[in-house]
Amino acid sequence: MAAKNALVRKENGHIDLLAAAGGVRGIAESILPGLVFLVAFTLTRDLRIALVGSVAMAAIFLVARLIQRTPLTQALAGIAGVALSAFLAMQTGKAENFYLVGFLTNAGYIVAMVISIAVRWPVLGLLFGYARNEGVGWRGRPERLRAYRVATWILVGVMALRLAVQLPLYLAEQVDALGAMRLIMGVPLYAFGLWIAWLISRPVGEPEPSPKTAA
């Protein structure tokens, strides 16, 4: 599982943030549909044009993966999310509802991570544990369990910050500002939070297992 997990370490022992974000293609698939929507709507103020452009961009990524026969999971999730967002915006006639699905997804992640902390199976313990070849052995060590709970709270804080900044913009119908904040607080903020969580949860006083060593 450690070998298949995107949260792996580079030779210097640091987490590979690019891989964690899905690589260059994964970042592009996450950012470009929203960027196309924002730019098109800002320039034309035409909701239909902006939505068509966004869905078309997501479809291009899906077709590219089909042609290259690469895994479709991220592209399918992306186009499904963009299509649902476009549907909600078109049905309501409100451009800000293009971002509604993102709010619900973000809130769902917060709830899931808080529950994982409460039941002593913090999400980042599972992800980082395999990346560090700890497996789930960290659960039997109070200091490691505590470190991974703190790490997961950091990611909860990142997602809560997104809602705190973006929800007022959504309620005020500030579509341009909301779109800009979604881009800024998307992959870059997520990667930064993940990096901080990785550093916070590193074992203290002992070297981490080699990434090439089996658990």
Side-chain angles (χ1 to χ4, degrees):
M1 289 185 69
K4 296 179 180 180
N5 200 305
L7 294 175
V8 296
R9 288 183 291 167
K10 296 183 287 187
E11 291 298 325
N12 61 8
H14 293 297
I15 187 173
D16 189 337
L17 290 177
L18 184 60
V24 174
R25 171 177 283 186
I27 293 173
E29 290 174 344
S30 299
I31 291 177
L32 288 183
L35 179 61
V36 168
F37 174 84
L38 176 61
V39 172
F41 186 76
T42 299
L43 293 177
T44 67
R45 312 313 291 183
D46 188 313
L47 180 58
R48 187 180 298 274
I49 291 175
L51 293 176
V52 169
S54 180
V55 173
M57 178 58 68
I60 288 172
F61 284 121
L62 178 60
V63 171
R65 284 187 177 270
L66 284 170
I67 293 173
Q68 296 174 356
R69 297 183 179 181
T70 54
L72 299 176
T73 305
Q74 186 163 350
L76 286 172
I79 195 169
V82 171
L84 180 57
S85 298
F87 174 79
L88 290 175
M90 185 61 68
Q91 286 296 106
T92 60
K94 295 183 176 182
E96 63 270 20
N97 282 338
F98 180 77
Y99 301 104
L100 184 58
V101 173
F103 289 136
L104 297 176
T105 302
N106 198 85
Y109 282 139
I110 290 175
V111 171
M113 285 191 289
V114 169
I115 291 175
S116 78
I117 294 169
V119 299
R120 303 172 68 84
W121 281 93
V123 169
L124 288 191
L126 297 173
L127 299 180
F128 288 174
Y130 281 110
R132 288 176 168 136
N133 293 313
E134 293 177 295
V136 294
W138 50 267
R139 296 194 71 246
R141 301 170 59 189
E143 76 282 2
R144 300 300 297 136
L145 175 59
R146 183 166 53 251
Y148 283 133
R149 294 178 80 177
V150 171
T152 305
W153 275 120
I154 289 173
L155 215 55
V156 169
V158 166
M159 295 187 175
L161 179 62
R162 286 175 176 172
L163 293 180
V165 172
Q166 296 170 23
L167 268 178
L169 296 174
Y170 170 80
L171 295 174
E173 301 182 2
Q174 298 294 317
V175 179
D176 296 346
L178 175 57
M181 286 298 101
R182 282 294 295 271
L183 293 174
I184 294 170
M185 302 183 77
V187 174
L189 184 62
Y190 165 77
F192 179 72
L194 204 61
W195 178 65
I196 294 297
W198 175 267
L199 295 180
I200 289 293
S201 62
R202 293 187 69 175
V204 177
E206 59 182 277
E208 293 185 2
S210 166
K212 296 181 181 180
T213 302

